[in-house]
Amino acid sequence: MHFVDLKNQYQNNQRQIDERIQTVLKHGQYILGPEVAELEEKLANSVAVKHCIGVSSGTDALLLALMALDIQSGDEVITTAFTFIATGEAIALLGAKPVFVDIDEKTYNIDPGLIQAAITDRTKAIIAVSLYGQCADFNEINYIAKKHGLAVIEDGAQSFGGIYHRAKSCGLSLIGCTSFFPSKPLGCYGDGGAVFTNDDDLADKIRIMRVHGQDKRYHHAYIGINGRLDTLQAAILIAKLDVFEFEIQQRNQIANRYNALLPVDTVVTPFIHNYNVSVYGQYTIQVDNRDRYQQRLKALGIPTAVHYPLPLYRQPALIQEHTKLAVTESVIKRVLSLPMHPYLDEKQQDQVIEAVHSVQ
């Protein structure tokens, strides 16, 4: 069994994907070819924002967003420590300080009620991660940010396609960022990402910054990066967009089946607010004695993962010795992600469910 079965997904969509790839191979425009602009238009329309800028990865999406906001050394950016390193890494790369606040114990997303106390005169922005596929509480986050004149970035690397109060992930704040890493809900066959915004000036700046800050040939208005989404990856994503809504529905059906059939006395299943639609970038439970679960499932041929075993403030690259967040410290010991992808059939689901039941 695969944790994420990309081979099966490709076989189910092979004709459309191959045709799109062949079109690029024939025209040979591998850097910012026509498929990049086509994808950007489709994604912007899907999210209902004015601008989508395809970039080289989800990490570079965050980095470009922060660069466009002119985040500099000495600035502070409030975020969560319960996320992948890229969220804090992008802040630190610019010499700014990630200021970590705790998470909501049910959703694992940043707790808006704790943001206000973390704001100082050096705070310039908030990065809210929409973890595991469910959007953070952006109404509350945006309200606090507006009151203090702060920019809000959504790290939607796991939540693209998700819905919050009928609005799409990556269209919920000043800037939305996502990743198209292969295992994401919408993934390409390499690295890729996108930045979303309704702000014309920010969009123009990010487009320039993704090509070394070049606004015209050999004229560089800003310090930028080599942050382009390549044409082949854009073509693959266009093909996958045709089945993306179907795949989100499948993910939710599988999650609902897990929720109904996993043992409620020993397993805490994901909590999804009734105003949210999760894309289940991960299906993550909480259990006691996690090692025992992992060993038992591995013995039965079922892969698992821990997202994430260390908070960012305990990562050597971002160490903050005096930071300790109670909810974060609790959940990192208990979270366990189970296989989740749109092509996980009922027989495989039953194998997972029965294996979890068998843990003594």
Side-chain angles (χ1 to χ4, degrees), residues 124-153:
K124 296 295 190 294
I126 301 166
I127 298 181
V129 179
S130 295
L131 198 71
Y132 298 155
Q134 176 174 208
C135 295
D137 191 352
F138 280 94
N139 285 350
E140 289 297 317
I141 295 165
N142 289 332
Y143 173 78
I144 295 164
K146 184 176 181 180
K147 188 165 65 171
H148 293 273
L150 306 176
V152 177
I153 299 169

Side-chain angles (χ1 to χ4, degrees), residues 181-192:
F181 187 80
S183 62
K184 302 300 184 186
L186 179 63
C188 54
Y189 292 160
D191 280 307

Side-chain angles (χ1 to χ4, degrees), residues 170-191:
C170 293
L172 305 172
S173 56
L174 179 62
I175 304 175
C177 299
T178 198
S179 168
F180 300 128
F181 187 80
S183 62
K184 302 300 184 186
L186 179 63
C188 54
Y189 292 160
D191 280 307

Side-chain angles (χ1 to χ4, degrees), residues 296-309:
R296 175 63 174 163
L297 269 62
K298 182 179 180 180
L300 295 172
I302 296 168
T304 60
V306 177
H307 303 100
Y308 296 93

Side-chain angles (χ1 to χ4, degrees), residues 60 63-72 93-94 204-215 219-227:
D60 285 341
L63 182 61
L64 285 162
L66 292 166
M67 291 169 66
L69 293 170
D70 199 29
I71 302 300
Q72 300 180 9
L93 278 168
L94 297 176
D204 289 343
K205 196 172 180 181
I206 291 166
R207 285 193 184 95
I208 293 168
M209 284 181 161
R210 75 173 172 180
V211 287
H212 300 285
Q214 180 175 266
D215 56 354
H219 185 273
H220 302 267
Y222 307 106
I223 295 295
I225 64 172
N226 180 6

Side-chain angles (χ1 to χ4, degrees), residues 154-176:
E154 179 186 7
D155 180 343
Q158 297 180 14
S159 63
F160 188 76
I163 297 174
Y164 169 84
H165 288 293
R166 301 184 181 179
K168 290 285 190 74
S169 176
C170 293
L172 305 172
S173 56
L174 179 62
I175 304 175

Side-chain angles (χ1 to χ4, degrees), residues 3-4 84 108 130-134 157-159 181 183-185 251 255 258 270 272 278-285 304-308 336-341:
F3 191 75
V4 177
F84 183 59
Y108 312 120
S130 295
L131 198 71
Y132 298 155
Q134 176 174 208
Q158 297 180 14
S159 63
F181 187 80
S183 62
K184 302 300 184 186
R251 286 174 174 272
Y258 276 163
I272 308 298
S278 177
V279 292
Y280 289 100
Q282 308 291 346
Y283 182 91
T284 303
I285 61 174
T304 60
V306 177
H307 303 100
Y308 296 93
L336 182 66
S337 298
L338 302 178
M340 168 55 74
H341 60 82

